[in-house]
Amino acid sequence: MSQPLRYTVNCSLLFTELPLLERPAAARRAGFGAVEFWWPFVEAVPPDRQVDAFVTAITDAGVQLTGLNFFAGDMPGGDRGLVSWPKRSGEFRDNLDVTIGIGERLGTRGFNALYGNRVDGATEPEQDDVAVENLALAARAAARIDATVLLEPVSGAPKYPLKTAADALAVIDRVQAAYDDVPNLGLLADLYHLAVNGDDVDRVIAEHTDRIAHVQIADAPGRNEPGTGTLALDHQLTALAANGYTGWAGLEYKPSTTSEASFDWLPFERR
């Protein structure tokens, strides 16, 4: 990897050999100064002691928390977010202050709002209307700490409607057309998800780098570390940097070996 982007380790997919609260320190020992997480708790509003323990694990490890997902439901069970889920909209809204509160304590500036699957009992227009309202609420909450809400196309979830960068950007456009006070919405470009879904990743980078607020990578097929598949990740990250992207590149992959060994593709001094 020759480009100058900074890397952050997704500790919800990496270092899963360890208990969650031990993963930030493991990332630090592996040479990284930044981590990101999916929602690290079971419920939308966890007990204060659990939140405090998570914050302490980050600060004691000496790493920066660059990104955090809002509560997204039961991810292992197939849920992919509550943003567009009418019956669970209240949970998403209850989660906003908790998530942004963690970000305020840790200097986090990116928050991933997974859109949610299409669900029985609600029409697609109903779901999309709820999503517009919830994304505006999330963006206003994030604005309190000068942060950005991210919207991500996802693969491997047949009922998740945002497959391409254009899908996510269309939702952002709709929110910003409805509300003029939410400029802080951006695309989370997971280069693995986009490629697997058949999007033209090079074109997305060429045309929309200015709207990409966060990047994540994994190789395909397999969603393992760079170098295990066929994606031109180095080329694409170099193009992002050349186009002016100065944010983080999240390592959101499933290690094909131990987590520590899976970083062999990245020289220690580049971590």
Side-chain angles (χ1 to χ4, degrees), residues 53-128:
F54 177 73
V55 170
T56 298
I58 300 289
T59 53
D60 285 357
V63 293
Q64 181 178 351
L65 182 69
T66 56
L68 184 65
N69 284 21
F70 292 104
F71 178 60
D74 178 11
M75 292 274 285
D79 293 345
R80 288 296 181 271
L82 307 184
V83 168
S84 65
W85 194 341
K87 287 185 178 179
R88 300 189 69 181
S89 179
E91 288 176 76
F92 178 77
R93 296 180 184 193
D94 289 345
N95 175 248
L96 293 178
D97 283 345
V98 184
T99 306
I100 300 304
I102 293 170
E104 186 170 25
R105 294 169 70 178
L106 293 172
T108 308
R109 293 292 176 261
F111 298 93
N112 186 14
L114 285 171
Y115 196 79
N117 295 325
R118 295 304 191 194
V119 295
D120 296 333
T123 67
E124 292 186 8
E126 286 170 345
Q127 285 198 251
D128 294 336

Side-chain angles (χ1 to χ4, degrees), residues 11 32 44 63 72 75 79 82 94 103 125 138 141 149 151 155 201 205 213 215 220 223 225 245 255 258:
C11 288
F32 295 94
V63 293
M75 292 274 285
D79 293 345
L82 307 184
D94 289 345
V149 170
L151 198 59
S155 66
V201 178
I205 293 168
V215 170
R223 202 180 183 183
E225 62 268 23
Y245 178 76
T258 65

Side-chain angles (χ1 to χ4, degrees), residues 7-16 32 36 38 190 192 216-219 222-226 228 233 250-266:
Y7 294 100
T8 182
V9 179
N10 189 295
C11 288
S12 293
L13 275 184
L14 283 151
F15 294 113
T16 57
F32 295 94
E36 62 183 21
W38 299 345
D190 185 312
Y192 165 82
Q216 292 174 330
I217 62 171
D219 217 332
R223 202 180 183 183
N224 304 130
E225 62 268 23
T228 56
L233 295 170
L251 306 181
E252 195 192 49
Y253 60 76
K254 300 174 183 177
S256 65
T257 174
T258 65
S259 293
E260 192 162 355
S262 78
F263 298 120
D264 286 350
W265 60 274
L266 186 63

Side-chain angles (χ1 to χ4, degrees), residues 2-39:
S2 57
Q3 33 60 42
L5 295 182
R6 302 168 295 167
Y7 294 100
T8 182
V9 179
N10 189 295
C11 288
S12 293
L13 275 184
L14 283 151
F15 294 113
T16 57
E17 303 96 333
L18 299 171
L20 186 138
L21 295 183
E22 295 179 20
R23 297 173 197 172
R28 176 73 271 187
R29 289 193 299 271
F32 295 94
V35 298
E36 62 183 21
F37 276 86
W38 299 345
W39 185 242

Side-chain angles (χ1 to χ4, degrees), residues 154-211:
V154 168
S155 66
K159 294 184 177 181
Y160 190 91
L162 309 185
K163 308 290 190 191
T164 66
D167 293 337
L169 291 172
V171 173
I172 293 172
D173 288 343
R174 184 178 171 195
V175 178
Q176 293 179 332
Y179 303 96
D180 58 9
D181 63 338
V182 289
N184 57 323
L185 288 165
L187 174 66
L188 195 169
D190 185 312
L191 306 187
Y192 165 82
H193 286 313
L194 295 177
V196 168
N197 283 341
D199 210 351
D200 185 337
V201 178
D202 292 335
R203 182 174 177 180
V204 170
I205 293 168
E207 296 182 357
H208 300 300
T209 294
D210 61 328
R211 302 191 69 182

